[in-house]
Amino acid sequence: MNRKQLLGKKIIEYGAESLSDAELLEFILAHSGADENTADLLLSKLHSIKAAADADHGILTAQYGVSMNTAVLLKLIPAVCHEKSTNRKSGNRIGSTENAGKYFSNLFTGYSEEYFAAAAIKDSMWISGSPFIRSSGSFSNVSVKCRDIVRYAVSGGRNKLILAHNHPNGVPNPSENDIIATKKIIASLKPLEIKVLDHIIVGKDSYVSLREIPGLISFESAPEYKCSCL
């Protein structure tokens, strides 16, 4: 019985939680033909499975010598995590800041770098289609995001959005740059009559709705979207 078979047997008998991070990553990567020491190498350099999955494929192949097949397999990890968590097939109704916080917390599951997202909202407050989500580097670098958001909204005839981004450091408190960038996005969408209802910032175990912070930002109103603090 080879190493891959031994790890598979351990998962069947005791569950995936019985594997260490190194063993779990080794088993995943074995399906792309990676060497047994690839998992140890990536974890020693990048320190976590999430960081390895978020790393640029060019860096993975050039600096760490992994194959393109292995790099592609790593990229599937966060995609599978947030696809499963958001449960898109069943739909999602965003009727309150609490709903929005839970939705985006699930959406960002599996990401260790900063990402930005926007969800289009129908009149009935259901998510309209797949959300817009991009690696952001820093939310405050907003110039490209405005163009992308406008394109996302206009292409689908969407006129209500909820914005979100994650704070990989785990603390969801808004920075001054977060506030400034949010105001710029709202201003860029207003001439197109596209309403921004809220901006959710997701941390490790909590989230913050900027709409719920009095006097911070003037968001558009929607009777069906309730503040959970009220």
Side-chain angles (χ1 to χ4, degrees):
M1 187 178 291
N2 62 30
R3 176 72 174 168
K4 178 180 173 182
Q5 291 170 328
L6 285 171
L7 291 175
K9 186 174 186 293
K10 188 175 180 180
I11 291 173
I12 294 298
E13 292 181 353
Y14 304 108
E17 63 274 9
S18 66
L19 271 60
S20 67
D21 284 354
E23 288 175 329
L24 182 59
L25 186 57
E26 178 187 340
F27 181 73
I28 292 171
L29 297 186
H31 291 80
S32 68
D35 295 335
E36 290 181 8
N37 64 352
T38 301
D40 287 328
L41 171 65
L42 291 176
L43 290 177
S44 68
K45 299 295 185 181
L46 301 172
H47 310 300
S48 73
I49 294 176
K50 287 183 179 181
D54 280 341
D56 181 83
H57 73 276
I59 294 176
L60 290 171
T61 55
Q63 292 191 18
Y64 305 123
V66 306
S67 68
M68 183 57 71
N69 284 342
T70 298
V72 169
L73 188 60
L74 280 167
K75 292 300 176 187
L76 290 175
I77 294 174
V80 170
C81 285
H82 82 256
E83 177 69 22
K84 183 176 185 298
S85 297
T86 54
N87 192 18
R88 292 174 183 163
K89 290 184 178 179
S90 63
N92 293 276
R93 188 175 188 277
I94 309 296
S96 67
T97 53
E98 183 179 7
N99 293 154
K102 290 178 180 178
Y103 173 80
F104 285 109
S105 293
N106 286 333
L107 185 69
F108 290 127
T109 298
Y111 293 116
S112 60
E113 294 183 350
E114 188 166 311
Y115 275 75
F116 170 79
I121 309 298
K122 298 178 182 178
D123 290 338
S124 56
M125 300 306 294
W126 286 84
I127 295 290
S128 175
S130 297
F132 169 94
I133 182 166
R134 295 287 186 276
S135 175
S136 65
S138 171
F139 177 72
S140 59
N141 181 18
V142 75
S143 57
V144 175
K145 296 180 189 65
C146 283
R147 293 195 298 270
D148 289 344
I149 297 165
V150 168
R151 189 179 300 115
Y152 165 73
V154 171
S155 65
R158 305 167 172 107
N159 62 3
K160 288 196 289 291
L161 300 177
I162 295 178
L163 311 177
H165 77 284
N166 63 323
H167 280 182
N169 65 7
V171 181
N173 296 337
S175 67
E176 183 177 353
N177 284 337
D178 290 340
I179 297 166
I180 293 171
T182 302
K183 290 179 178 179
K184 286 182 178 179
I185 293 174
I186 291 172
S188 70
L189 294 174
K190 191 166 186 176
L192 301 173
E193 298 185 347
I194 298 172
K195 297 180 178 181
V196 177
L197 304 183
D198 202 349
H199 183 165
I200 303 294
I201 301 178
V202 175
K204 183 178 179 181
D205 299 310
S206 60
Y207 62 85
V208 168
S209 160
L210 299 193
R211 187 184 187 93
E212 290 189 341
I213 303 177
L216 187 66
I217 296 175
S218 179
F219 289 99
E220 296 284 353
S221 62
E224 301 85 359
Y225 187 68
K226 310 294 185 181
C227 287
S228 59
C229 59
L230 298 179

